[in-house]
Amino acid sequence: MNRITVDISKVEPFIGDKCLGRFQEEIHNCHKSLMERSGKGNDFLGWIDLPVNIDKAMLLRLKEDALKIAQCAEILVVIGIGGSYLGARAVIDALNNPFAALANEKGHPQIVYAGENLSEDYHSALMDLLDKKDYAVAVISKSGTTTEPAVAFRLVRAHIEKKYGRKEACKRIFAITDASRGALKMLAGTEGYSSYIIPDDVGGRYSVLTPVGLLPIAAAGFDVDRLIAGAADMREIAISTGDCEKNPAAMYAGIRNILYRNNKIIEVLATYEPSLQYFIEWWKQLYGESEGKEQKGIFPAGVTFTTDLHSMGQYMQEGLRVIFETVIMVEKPRHSLVIPGDDENLDGLNFIAGKRLSEVNLMAGLGTRIAHVDGQVPNIKISLPAIDEYWLGQLIYFFEFACAISGYALGVNPFDQPGVEAYKKNMFALLDKPGFEKESEEIRKRL
Ligand code: PA5
């Protein structure tokens, strides 16, 4: 089976062989805890078997709903925040024509996002757009009570009911939420929206292979079966062994923890494909929320090269030496574009005339790798054969599995996020939410 590979040859000079050997046993133990479901957060391990446990009837209904959306809507508004939207956006942006919105291509709806921020300007602009377009809505929230998507849904629901009438609006709204709890669950039941369940044992940031990711991805016109197949293949490799030489996810988890213990506390995930920008955002959430707790954790940052070589590249080359870099190198572009020759050669670029643009991009990548290693930035290379549904499925599962192992190696629970409550409490107090009277008084004194 072809698979994603991890190259650590440009890390070894920084850590030495001995260290990796010693670490293997620790990673084995983390893998064992995960597989035996005996580690921290073991009630949130439903994601491990998702690619082989998908309910076929649900998937069929989901594809039918995706078709209905495509038939009635030019736009699908995906309302959700964090794990309830980043996975879908990561895959859709990776696969979409970057100019799809302007290219006027018919067939599948454009996907736009709401409820992942509280900006009045952003949501006003969205309302203006929705005045002019036919649309449907996928509202996604596991808890069904998260403020940002709930506020956005209130706005969009009022809009869609006014535009189409309540009966038709109900046919255009799709709800993805918890099996039994939450305001969204109740509302979906009362209004009769087509609804999907997020399994209890799958946390938000591990939920892209549930309807959370699958419905928007299918509605955007992409092949969810191939995505699941890629994840299933990576699962087979990942669950089989904790041996870093045989399991790329174990290798990645191990090496990043060794680097962390060697004072490399920031990981920069880099890509040379702008279409992967949101994949990096998804990865940032996955690792940031899973590992950043108990006053520890690798800080996940992201860059898109070559553009960020002209900004963050300077810091990476010569700033504080606390960084390591992980690069996703895509082996095969989907298109071919050859650089033309020019008789006058005023720009001096005839030395690359006749070459494909991807070759220039590759040389930029190889050159940067050596430059950063020379600048004391260890480099992990993840080779992705291509950007398509299958390989993205492998990559998603690879990162999820590695994140779980890595969190265990760090000694934290990779499946909770207690820290995100702090801002909510203060926001509710400042907004005078009933029940927050005491906090409200206290926080106002501190403004
Ligand atoms: O990974 C997580 O659990 C979080 O990022 C959630 O996905 C995010 O907070 C949204 O929560 P909910 O789906 O309950 O609205």
Side-chain angles (χ1 to χ4, degrees):
M1 177 199 307
N2 279 344
R3 55 149 132 170
I4 287 162
T5 54
V6 178
D7 170 8
I8 59 157
S9 60
K10 297 284 185 279
V11 176
E12 277 156 354
F14 297 92
I15 58 168
D17 279 359
K18 242 168 106 196
C19 202
L20 185 61
R22 207 176 59 218
F23 217 73
Q24 174 60 78
E25 201 186 327
E26 208 173 316
I27 292 299
H28 249 306
N29 291 337
C30 297
H31 187 273
K32 197 161 171 266
S33 303
L34 189 65
M35 290 298 93
E36 289 176 353
R37 288 162 163 75
S38 58
K40 291 184 182 171
N42 58 6
D43 44 348
F44 278 98
L45 299 182
W47 59 272
I48 295 179
D49 295 329
L50 273 179
V52 289
N53 268 353
I54 299 231
D55 173 348
K56 296 223 167 49
M58 179 281 289
L59 199 56
L60 203 65
R61 182 165 72 86
L62 184 145
K63 288 179 195 167
E64 283 164 10
D65 275 345
L67 210 63
K68 279 186 204 153
I69 294 169
Q71 280 160 357
C72 76
E74 298 162 90
I75 286 180
L76 173 67
V77 186
V78 172
I79 300 178
I81 195 164
S84 286
Y85 100 103
L86 278 168
R89 186 157 194 182
V91 174
I92 291 166
D93 280 16
L95 297 172
N96 243 347
N97 170 355
F99 307 107
L102 300 171
N104 220 5
E105 284 167 354
K106 296 275 176 242
H108 295 285
Q110 293 295 312
I111 312 297
V112 301
Y113 302 88
E116 84 296 17
N117 66 71
L118 288 167
S119 161
E120 187 158 348
D121 287 347
Y122 180 92
H123 288 89
S124 299
L126 176 65
M127 296 299 147
D128 289 347
L129 177 71
L130 299 182
D131 283 343
K132 298 177 204 117
K133 301 279 185 184
D134 274 317
Y135 70 98
V137 180
V139 54
I140 309 173
S141 176
K142 182 164 184 202
S143 62
T145 53
T146 307
T147 309
E148 292 91 333
V151 169
F153 186 52
R154 191 178 263 229
L155 290 166
V156 174
R157 188 176 155 221
H159 186 282
I160 200 169
E161 287 184 354
K162 189 160 171 235
K163 180 164 176 152
Y164 295 103
R166 195 154 167 189
K167 204 166 153 220
E168 173 64 16
C170 288
K171 292 188 195 149
R172 289 172 177 263
I173 297 173
F174 300 81
I176 303 169
T177 188
D178 186 82
S180 51
R181 284 160 298 172
L184 182 57
K185 175 74 197 167
M186 272 170 57
L187 189 64
T190 321
E191 297 293 313
Y193 304 149
S194 177
S195 304
Y196 294 88
I197 286 165
I198 308 170
D200 283 348
D201 57 357
V202 179
R205 57 191 176 275
Y206 291 83
S207 70
V208 52
L209 298 172
T210 72
V212 170
L214 298 179
L215 181 66
I217 293 167
F222 301 114
D223 186 344
V224 290
D225 292 326
R226 293 293 296 152
L227 189 78
I228 296 163
D233 282 351
M234 180 49 77
R235 174 187 170 277
E236 206 180 309
I237 299 163
I239 65 168
S240 66
T241 174
D243 184 340
C244 293
E245 298 299 334
K246 296 187 183 137
N247 178 348
M251 169 70 90
Y252 174 58
I255 205 76
R256 62 197 298 282
N257 273 278
I258 295 174
L259 287 165
Y260 177 65
R261 291 175 198 192
N262 280 276
N263 231 8
K264 299 291 185 187
I265 56 165
I266 297 173
E267 178 176 11
V268 178
L269 185 64
T271 175
Y272 287 78
E273 293 297 335
S275 67
L276 293 183
Q277 200 176 334
Y278 262 87
F279 204 95
I280 291 180
E281 292 303 316
W282 170 81
W283 169 88
K284 275 162 60 179
Q285 187 215 350
L286 181 62
Y287 281 76
E289 236 177 8
S290 299
E291 294 192 322
K293 49 196 72 159
E294 299 176 29
Q295 316 278 309
K296 48 191 177 182
I298 299 168
F299 183 84
V303 288
T304 305
F305 290 156
T306 60
T307 185
D308 287 335
L309 286 172
H310 298 259
S311 56
M312 297 303 286
Q314 171 59 37
Y315 192 104
M316 292 184 70
Q317 192 68 48
E318 295 183 342
L320 213 57
R321 300 297 73 191
V322 290
I323 296 173
F324 69 95
E325 183 177 13
T326 300
V327 190
I328 302 174
M329 292 300 273
V330 180
E331 285 164 9
K332 199 164 170 282
R334 278 178 288 175
H335 302 281
S336 171
L337 196 59
V338 174
I339 297 167
D342 180 347
D343 288 347
E344 291 180 38
N345 195 26
L346 288 177
D347 55 12
L349 282 180
N350 270 357
F351 72 103
I352 50 170
K355 288 189 194 297
R356 286 178 60 176
L357 193 50
S358 54
E359 192 182 339
V360 181
N361 204 19
L362 177 64
M363 294 311 136
L366 296 179
T368 303
R369 191 171 192 226
I370 305 286
H372 287 179
V373 169
D374 288 347
Q376 302 302 301
V377 178
N379 185 292
I380 303 169
K381 184 170 85 173
I382 296 172
S383 296
L384 184 70
I387 298 179
D388 62 21
E389 288 91 333
Y390 175 83
W391 288 112
L392 290 173
Q394 273 215 17
L395 194 61
I396 285 168
Y397 198 89
F398 162 84
F399 276 130
E400 288 180 348
F401 200 90
C403 186
I405 304 250
S406 184
Y408 282 171
L410 201 63
V412 300
N413 176 355
F415 308 110
D416 67 0
Q417 55 283 328
V420 298
E421 295 309 315
Y423 97 92
K424 292 184 192 168
K425 192 180 85 196
N426 291 347
M427 177 176 76
F428 292 149
L430 289 167
L431 287 168
D432 296 316
K433 184 173 177 175
F436 287 79
E437 291 75 11
K438 194 163 157 273
E439 289 91 343
S440 175
E441 214 173 284
E442 274 163 21
I443 197 163
R444 283 207 157 79
K445 287 188 209 137
R446 296 179 53 201
L447 288 178

